[in-house]
Amino acid sequence: MKLFAIFGDPVAHSRSPLMHNSVFKHLNYKACYTRVHLPDGSKLKETFFSLGLSGANITVPHKEAAYEACDEVRGFAKKVGVVNTIVNENGKLIGYNTDADGFMFAIKEFGAIKNILVLGAGGTAKALCARFIEDNIKVTVLNRSQNRLTYFRELGCDCFSWEDFELTKYDLVVNTTSAGLKDEELPAPLELIEKILDNTSFVADAIYGKVTPFLKIAKEKNITFIDGADMLFGQGVLANMIFTNHELKTEDIKNCMSKSFEL
Ligand code: NDP
Protein backbone atom coordinates (compact mmCIF):
# COMPACT_ATOMS: atom_id res chain seq x y z
CA MET A 1 0.00 0.00 0.00
CA LYS A 2 1.51 3.32 -1.09
CA LEU A 3 0.87 6.47 0.93
CA PHE A 4 0.49 9.97 -0.57
CA ALA A 5 -0.30 13.32 1.05
CA ILE A 6 -0.81 17.02 0.54
CA PHE A 7 1.35 19.45 2.54
CA GLY A 8 0.16 22.98 3.23
CA ASP A 9 -0.71 25.66 5.76
CA PRO A 10 -3.71 25.81 5.81
CA VAL A 11 -4.50 22.39 4.42
CA ALA A 12 -7.82 21.40 6.00
CA HIS A 13 -9.74 22.86 3.02
CA SER A 14 -7.91 20.73 0.44
CA ARG A 15 -9.99 18.47 -1.83
CA SER A 16 -6.90 16.62 -3.05
CA PRO A 17 -7.38 13.60 -0.70
CA LEU A 18 -10.92 13.12 -2.03
CA MET A 19 -9.78 13.43 -5.66
CA HIS A 20 -6.84 11.02 -5.49
CA ASN A 21 -8.54 8.50 -3.19
CA SER A 22 -11.45 8.39 -5.62
CA VAL A 23 -9.04 7.30 -8.37
CA PHE A 24 -7.19 4.79 -6.17
CA LYS A 25 -10.41 3.24 -4.90
CA HIS A 26 -12.26 2.91 -8.19
CA LEU A 27 -9.24 1.71 -10.17
CA ASN A 28 -8.11 -0.72 -7.43
CA TYR A 29 -4.74 0.97 -7.09
CA LYS A 30 -3.28 0.04 -3.71
CA ALA A 31 -2.72 3.51 -2.28
CA CYS A 32 -4.14 6.02 0.15
CA TYR A 33 -3.88 9.85 0.18
CA THR A 34 -4.01 12.02 3.30
CA ARG A 35 -3.30 15.62 4.34
CA VAL A 36 -0.43 16.97 6.46
CA HIS A 37 -0.53 20.38 8.11
CA LEU A 38 3.01 21.76 7.73
CA PRO A 39 3.59 25.23 9.23
CA ASP A 40 7.36 25.19 8.48
CA GLY A 41 8.27 24.56 4.81
CA SER A 42 11.92 23.84 5.67
CA LYS A 43 10.70 20.63 7.38
CA LEU A 44 9.11 19.29 4.16
CA LYS A 45 11.78 16.77 3.16
CA GLU A 46 12.30 15.22 6.60
CA THR A 47 8.54 15.02 7.19
CA PHE A 48 7.99 13.42 3.76
CA PHE A 49 10.55 10.67 4.42
CA SER A 50 9.63 10.16 8.09
CA LEU A 51 6.02 9.45 7.04
CA GLY A 52 7.22 6.93 4.43
CA LEU A 53 5.39 8.70 1.60
CA SER A 54 5.64 7.65 -2.04
CA GLY A 55 4.55 11.05 -3.28
CA ALA A 56 2.89 14.32 -2.31
CA ASN A 57 1.34 17.53 -3.49
CA ILE A 58 2.42 20.86 -2.06
CA THR A 59 0.11 23.80 -1.60
CA VAL A 60 0.25 27.33 -0.18
CA PRO A 61 2.76 28.59 1.00
CA HIS A 62 5.40 25.89 0.44
CA LYS A 63 5.77 25.45 -3.33
CA GLU A 64 9.04 27.35 -3.52
CA ALA A 65 10.34 25.54 -0.43
CA ALA A 66 9.41 22.28 -2.18
CA TYR A 67 11.58 23.25 -5.13
CA GLU A 68 14.51 23.80 -2.76
CA ALA A 69 13.87 20.47 -1.02
CA CYS A 70 14.05 18.37 -4.20
CA ASP A 71 17.12 16.34 -5.23
CA GLU A 72 16.03 16.70 -8.86
CA VAL A 73 13.42 18.88 -10.54
CA ARG A 74 11.95 17.94 -13.93
CA GLY A 75 10.14 19.67 -16.78
CA PHE A 76 8.32 22.97 -16.38
CA ALA A 77 9.04 23.12 -12.60
CA LYS A 78 12.74 23.54 -13.39
CA LYS A 79 12.00 26.66 -15.42
CA VAL A 80 9.84 28.33 -12.77
CA GLY A 81 11.44 27.16 -9.52
CA VAL A 82 8.06 26.11 -8.17
CA VAL A 83 7.07 22.54 -7.32
CA ASN A 84 3.58 21.25 -6.51
CA THR A 85 4.13 17.50 -6.97
CA ILE A 86 6.94 15.38 -5.50
CA VAL A 87 7.69 11.67 -5.67
CA ASN A 88 10.13 9.36 -3.96
CA GLU A 89 12.28 7.79 -6.66
CA ASN A 90 14.76 5.34 -5.09
CA GLY A 91 15.16 7.51 -1.99
CA LYS A 92 15.50 10.74 -3.98
CA LEU A 93 12.93 13.52 -3.99
CA ILE A 94 11.88 14.36 -7.56
CA GLY A 95 9.80 17.51 -8.20
CA TYR A 96 7.29 18.50 -10.88
CA ASN A 97 4.83 21.33 -11.51
CA THR A 98 1.34 20.47 -12.78
CA ASP A 99 -0.37 23.78 -11.85
CA ALA A 100 0.27 25.66 -15.10
CA ASP A 101 -1.06 22.92 -17.37
CA GLY A 102 -4.02 22.51 -15.02
CA PHE A 103 -4.83 26.20 -15.39
CA MET A 104 -4.51 26.18 -19.20
CA PHE A 105 -7.01 23.32 -19.19
CA ALA A 106 -9.37 25.41 -17.03
CA ILE A 107 -9.41 28.53 -19.25
CA LYS A 108 -9.98 26.69 -22.53
CA GLU A 109 -13.67 27.63 -22.33
CA PHE A 110 -12.79 31.35 -22.62
CA GLY A 111 -11.38 30.88 -26.14
CA ALA A 112 -8.33 32.84 -27.37
CA ILE A 113 -6.81 34.94 -24.58
CA LYS A 114 -4.14 37.48 -25.56
CA ASN A 115 -3.82 39.79 -22.58
CA ILE A 116 -3.87 38.70 -18.90
CA LEU A 117 -3.62 40.57 -15.60
CA VAL A 118 -2.30 38.37 -12.79
CA LEU A 119 -3.02 39.45 -9.21
CA GLY A 120 -0.29 38.17 -6.88
CA ALA A 121 3.36 37.21 -7.27
CA GLY A 122 3.72 33.97 -5.31
CA GLY A 123 4.52 30.45 -6.47
CA THR A 124 1.29 29.97 -8.40
CA ALA A 125 1.71 33.29 -10.21
CA LYS A 126 5.25 32.32 -11.22
CA ALA A 127 4.14 29.07 -12.82
CA LEU A 128 1.14 30.62 -14.57
CA CYS A 129 3.03 33.67 -15.89
CA ALA A 130 5.86 31.56 -17.29
CA ARG A 131 3.30 29.42 -19.14
CA PHE A 132 1.38 32.48 -20.42
CA ILE A 133 4.60 34.04 -21.74
CA GLU A 134 5.48 30.72 -23.42
CA ASP A 135 2.11 30.95 -25.17
CA ASN A 136 2.86 34.53 -26.34
CA ILE A 137 0.22 36.09 -24.08
CA LYS A 138 0.85 39.65 -22.86
CA VAL A 139 1.12 39.47 -19.05
CA THR A 140 0.77 42.18 -16.42
CA VAL A 141 1.42 41.39 -12.76
CA LEU A 142 -0.03 43.38 -9.87
CA ASN A 143 1.19 42.54 -6.37
CA ARG A 144 0.70 44.03 -2.91
CA SER A 145 4.45 44.38 -2.38
CA GLN A 146 7.31 45.24 -4.77
CA ASN A 147 9.91 42.78 -3.56
CA ARG A 148 8.60 39.71 -5.40
CA LEU A 149 8.32 41.39 -8.80
CA THR A 150 11.91 40.97 -10.08
CA TYR A 151 11.30 37.43 -11.37
CA PHE A 152 8.27 38.62 -13.35
CA ARG A 153 10.11 41.63 -14.84
CA GLU A 154 12.89 39.33 -16.05
CA LEU A 155 10.26 37.01 -17.54
CA GLY A 156 8.94 39.91 -19.65
CA CYS A 157 5.80 40.85 -17.70
CA ASP A 158 4.70 44.44 -17.01
CA CYS A 159 4.88 44.70 -13.21
CA PHE A 160 3.15 46.96 -10.71
CA SER A 161 2.39 47.24 -7.03
CA TRP A 162 -0.79 48.89 -5.74
CA GLU A 163 0.85 52.33 -5.57
CA ASP A 164 2.06 52.63 -9.19
CA PHE A 165 -0.55 50.52 -11.05
CA GLU A 166 -1.45 51.66 -14.58
CA LEU A 167 -4.77 50.26 -15.77
CA THR A 168 -5.39 49.00 -19.33
CA LYS A 169 -7.86 46.51 -20.82
CA TYR A 170 -7.55 42.75 -20.28
CA ASP A 171 -9.08 39.59 -21.72
CA LEU A 172 -8.69 37.83 -18.38
CA VAL A 173 -7.88 38.76 -14.78
CA VAL A 174 -6.62 35.95 -12.52
CA ASN A 175 -6.45 36.07 -8.74
CA THR A 176 -3.47 34.00 -7.61
CA THR A 177 -3.18 35.66 -4.18
CA SER A 178 -4.32 33.80 -1.09
CA ALA A 179 -6.58 36.75 -0.17
CA GLY A 180 -10.04 35.26 0.36
CA LEU A 181 -8.74 31.76 1.07
CA LYS A 182 -9.18 31.80 4.84
CA ASP A 183 -10.44 35.38 5.24
CA GLU A 184 -12.78 37.78 3.44
CA GLU A 185 -10.05 40.01 2.00
CA LEU A 186 -9.76 41.29 -1.56
CA PRO A 187 -6.52 40.78 -3.55
CA ALA A 188 -6.15 44.60 -3.85
CA PRO A 189 -8.01 47.65 -2.44
CA LEU A 190 -11.70 47.76 -3.42
CA GLU A 191 -11.37 50.86 -5.59
CA LEU A 192 -8.63 49.21 -7.67
CA ILE A 193 -10.53 45.93 -7.97
CA GLU A 194 -13.65 47.77 -9.20
CA LYS A 195 -11.65 49.53 -11.93
CA ILE A 196 -9.87 46.32 -12.97
CA LEU A 197 -13.09 44.35 -13.22
CA ASP A 198 -14.69 47.09 -15.33
CA ASN A 199 -11.90 46.50 -17.87
CA THR A 200 -11.83 42.72 -18.34
CA SER A 201 -13.86 40.16 -20.32
CA PHE A 202 -13.25 37.15 -18.03
CA VAL A 203 -12.19 36.44 -14.46
CA ALA A 204 -10.58 33.43 -12.78
CA ASP A 205 -9.68 32.69 -9.18
CA ALA A 206 -7.18 30.02 -8.15
CA ILE A 207 -9.08 29.56 -4.88
CA TYR A 208 -11.76 26.87 -4.96
CA GLY A 209 -14.60 25.69 -2.78
CA LYS A 210 -15.97 29.16 -2.05
CA VAL A 211 -17.05 32.29 -3.85
CA THR A 212 -14.25 34.63 -2.79
CA PRO A 213 -14.99 38.35 -2.17
CA PHE A 214 -13.18 38.96 -5.50
CA LEU A 215 -15.49 36.59 -7.39
CA LYS A 216 -18.54 38.05 -5.63
CA ILE A 217 -17.78 41.45 -7.18
CA ALA A 218 -17.17 39.84 -10.61
CA LYS A 219 -20.55 38.11 -10.27
CA GLU A 220 -22.30 41.38 -9.38
CA LYS A 221 -20.80 42.88 -12.53
CA ASN A 222 -22.05 39.93 -14.64
CA ILE A 223 -18.56 38.93 -15.73
CA THR A 224 -18.10 35.28 -16.75
CA PHE A 225 -15.83 33.64 -14.18
CA ILE A 226 -14.39 30.32 -13.06
CA ASP A 227 -13.08 29.43 -9.62
CA GLY A 228 -10.09 27.19 -8.94
CA ALA A 229 -11.98 23.89 -9.22
CA ASP A 230 -11.16 23.33 -12.90
CA MET A 231 -7.52 24.19 -12.30
CA LEU A 232 -7.52 21.83 -9.34
CA PHE A 233 -8.95 19.09 -11.52
CA GLY A 234 -6.37 19.62 -14.29
CA GLN A 235 -3.37 19.66 -11.97
CA GLY A 236 -4.79 16.69 -10.04
CA VAL A 237 -5.11 14.46 -13.11
CA LEU A 238 -1.52 15.24 -14.12
CA ALA A 239 -0.23 14.68 -10.56
CA ASN A 240 -2.06 11.34 -10.35
CA MET A 241 -0.40 10.19 -13.58
CA ILE A 242 2.98 10.93 -11.97
CA PHE A 243 2.01 9.22 -8.67
CA THR A 244 0.88 6.05 -10.45
CA ASN A 245 3.90 6.11 -12.76
CA HIS A 246 1.61 6.34 -15.83
CA GLU A 247 0.24 2.84 -15.12
CA LEU A 248 -3.41 3.97 -15.26
CA LYS A 249 -5.27 5.24 -18.32
CA THR A 250 -5.65 9.04 -18.36
CA GLU A 251 -9.33 8.77 -19.32
CA ASP A 252 -9.99 6.47 -16.33
CA ILE A 253 -8.20 8.90 -13.98
CA LYS A 254 -10.28 11.79 -15.36
CA ASN A 255 -13.56 9.88 -14.96
CA CYS A 256 -12.88 8.80 -11.39
CA MET A 257 -11.48 12.15 -10.31
CA SER A 258 -14.38 14.12 -11.77
CA LYS A 259 -16.80 11.95 -9.72
CA SER A 260 -15.10 13.19 -6.54
CA PHE A 261 -16.27 16.73 -7.39
CA GLU A 262 -19.87 15.57 -6.95
CA LEU A 263 -19.19 14.55 -3.33
P1 NDP B 1 2.14 32.14 -2.11
O1 NDP B 1 2.14 32.16 -0.62
O2 NDP B 1 3.34 31.69 -2.84
O3 NDP B 1 1.79 33.65 -2.65
C1 NDP B 1 0.76 34.37 -2.09
C2 NDP B 1 0.55 35.69 -2.86
O4 NDP B 1 -0.65 36.28 -2.35
C3 NDP B 1 1.65 36.73 -2.71
O5 NDP B 1 1.79 37.42 -3.93
C4 NDP B 1 1.09 37.68 -1.63
O6 NDP B 1 1.52 39.02 -1.76
C5 NDP B 1 -0.38 37.62 -1.95
N1 NDP B 1 -1.25 37.89 -0.80
C6 NDP B 1 -1.43 37.14 0.31
N2 NDP B 1 -2.35 37.71 1.12
C7 NDP B 1 -2.78 38.83 0.48
C8 NDP B 1 -3.73 39.85 0.79
N3 NDP B 1 -4.42 39.81 1.95
N4 NDP B 1 -3.92 40.85 -0.09
C9 NDP B 1 -3.23 40.89 -1.25
N5 NDP B 1 -2.29 39.97 -1.60
C10 NDP B 1 -2.08 38.95 -0.75
O7 NDP B 1 0.83 31.29 -2.50
P2 NDP B 1 0.59 30.31 -3.75
O8 NDP B 1 0.98 31.02 -4.98
O9 NDP B 1 1.14 28.97 -3.49
O10 NDP B 1 -1.03 30.13 -3.71
C11 NDP B 1 -1.87 31.23 -3.93
C12 NDP B 1 -3.33 30.81 -3.97
O11 NDP B 1 -3.61 29.96 -5.09
C13 NDP B 1 -3.80 30.03 -2.74
O12 NDP B 1 -5.05 30.54 -2.36
C14 NDP B 1 -3.91 28.59 -3.23
O13 NDP B 1 -4.88 27.88 -2.49
C15 NDP B 1 -4.36 28.82 -4.67
N6 NDP B 1 -4.03 27.68 -5.57
C16 NDP B 1 -5.03 26.95 -6.15
C17 NDP B 1 -4.74 25.92 -7.02
C18 NDP B 1 -5.83 25.13 -7.66
O14 NDP B 1 -5.56 24.03 -8.12
N7 NDP B 1 -7.02 25.64 -7.73
C19 NDP B 1 -3.36 25.53 -7.34
C20 NDP B 1 -2.40 26.40 -6.73
C21 NDP B 1 -2.73 27.41 -5.85
P3 NDP B 1 2.90 39.59 -1.06
O15 NDP B 1 4.01 39.26 -2.02
O16 NDP B 1 2.65 41.04 -0.94
O17 NDP B 1 3.02 38.88 0.25
Side-chain angles (χ1 to χ4, degrees):
M1 171 77 87
K2 289 181 178 173
L3 184 63
F4 297 91
I6 179 152
F7 288 95
D9 179 22
V11 78
H13 69 284
S14 174
R15 291 189 66 85
S16 291
L18 217 53
M19 289 160 54
H20 290 281
N21 283 327
S22 181
V23 175
F24 297 150
K25 188 177 162 202
H26 289 106
L27 298 180
N28 291 319
Y29 191 86
K30 289 199 182 337
C32 182
Y33 190 113
T34 186
R35 49 171 73 86
V36 178
H37 179 220
L38 186 75
D40 181 356
S42 69
K43 299 269 185 334
L44 177 69
K45 194 171 187 172
E46 63 180 84
T47 313
F48 179 92
F49 284 113
S50 72
L51 291 172
L53 298 176
S54 296
N57 287 122
I58 323 296
T59 188
V60 63
H62 302 316
K63 292 183 189 187
E64 283 156 308
Y67 174 84
E68 297 299 331
C70 285
D71 297 303
E72 185 187 332
V73 176
R74 293 186 186 151
F76 189 66
K78 213 156 139 181
K79 182 169 178 182
V80 292
V82 181
V83 160
N84 79 321
T85 303
I86 52 176
V87 283
N88 175 354
E89 215 176 87
N90 305 319
K92 290 210 160 119
L93 209 53
I94 313 294
Y96 298 85
N97 186 301
T98 67
D99 280 335
D101 283 337
F103 189 80
M104 296 319 277
F105 165 85
I107 61 168
K108 261 190 198 148
E109 65 181 85
F110 295 152
I113 297 285
K114 298 203 161 24
N115 188 345
I116 299 185
L117 172 66
V118 174
L119 306 176
T124 306
K126 274 188 177 175
L128 296 190
C129 290
R131 171 49 50 87
F132 297 156
I133 293 279
E134 246 181 33
D135 284 4
N136 293 318
I137 295 169
K138 179 172 166 30
V139 185
T140 308
V141 177
L142 174 61
N143 194 46
R144 177 174 58 182
S145 51
Q146 278 279 356
N147 57 347
R148 286 171 117 153
L149 292 174
T150 314
Y151 169 92
F152 297 89
R153 267 195 203 101
E154 286 170 2
L155 199 62
C157 308
D158 285 344
C159 296
F160 300 99
S161 62
W162 296 351
E163 290 73 32
D164 61 4
F165 181 58
E166 290 168 21
L167 181 78
T168 51
K169 285 211 173 289
Y170 313 99
D171 297 327
L172 172 67
V173 177
V174 188
N175 175 31
T176 72
T177 76
S178 39
L181 177 64
K182 54 181 176 181
D183 50 44
E184 289 303 304
E185 287 185 37
L186 283 167
L190 177 62
E191 196 189 343
L192 216 51
I193 291 293
E194 294 267 7
K195 280 188 196 154
I196 288 167
L197 291 180
D198 288 337
N199 284 281
T200 186
S201 307
F202 301 105
V203 161
D205 202 318
I207 296 171
Y208 62 88
K210 70 183 276 194
V211 182
T212 57
F214 174 66
L215 287 187
K216 274 184 198 145
I217 301 179
K219 201 172 175 183
E220 280 161 21
K221 291 182 182 289
N222 283 322
I223 305 169
T224 305
F225 68 87
I226 53 167
D227 72 3
D230 289 332
M231 176 182 179
L232 181 73
F233 177 72
Q235 65 77 30
V237 170
L238 296 169
N240 196 277
M241 289 164 69
I242 295 169
F243 290 154
T244 56
N245 206 13
H246 302 271
E247 284 167 31
L248 305 175
K249 285 194 192 130
T250 310
E251 271 319 298
D252 291 344
I253 295 175
K254 278 185 179 170
N255 285 337
C256 296
M257 205 172 263
S258 64
K259 283 197 191 102
S260 76
F261 281 79
E262 292 158 18
L263 299 171

